[in-house]
Amino acid sequence: MARDQALRLAVYKINEVVGSLRAPSKIALETTGRVTEVGSLEEVLDIVKRTQGTEPVINWGNIHARDAGGLKSQRDFENVLVKVRASLGSKWLEQAY
């Protein structure tokens, strides 16, 4: 399945599941470490923006693995947070744990 098709399907199914929930809930979407799977930071942020009741889980180890050891300096970690802030705004970062 093409990556863009997989993203569209994920968005559709997540919205379907969230819409069927009977109690207010959040669905957390985690970044993955495998480049062959949907789950890069950018993809997770895109899915979160296109779905209701979701939020990202920033798995630093998976981001590091996916980028072949790309998180080495403080600046590398800051760049991840800059991407999240640019995509979701500062409010999410202030509430993240």
Side-chain angles (χ1 to χ4, degrees):
M1 178 180 299
R3 201 163 203 87
D4 61 329
Q5 185 180 5
L7 283 170
R8 282 194 309 274
L9 180 60
V11 167
Y12 175 79
K13 287 299 190 180
I14 291 166
N15 280 326
E16 184 177 69
V17 167
V18 171
S20 70
L21 295 174
R22 296 181 184 188
S25 303
K26 285 274 187 185
I27 304 291
L29 305 171
E30 184 174 357
T31 54
T32 63
R34 295 187 177 147
V35 295
T36 57
E37 297 175 358
V38 170
S40 69
L41 176 64
E42 294 77 11
E43 290 167 336
V44 167
L45 294 174
D46 180 46
I47 292 170
V48 167
K49 286 180 7 182
R50 294 168 47 192
T51 54
Q52 298 295 316
T54 59
E55 63 181 39
V57 174
I58 309 302
N59 184 315
W60 298 101
N62 284 345
I63 292 172
H64 182 70
R66 189 176 190 108
D67 293 337
L71 297 177
K72 296 179 180 161
S73 68
Q74 180 176 336
R75 187 70 193 146
D76 296 332
F77 286 88
E78 290 171 353
N79 286 337
V80 171
L81 297 176
V82 166
K83 286 180 184 179
V84 173
R85 183 179 296 115
S87 181
L88 303 179
S90 295
K91 183 178 178 183
W92 184 85
L93 283 175
E94 293 167 3
Q95 298 173 354
Y97 56 93

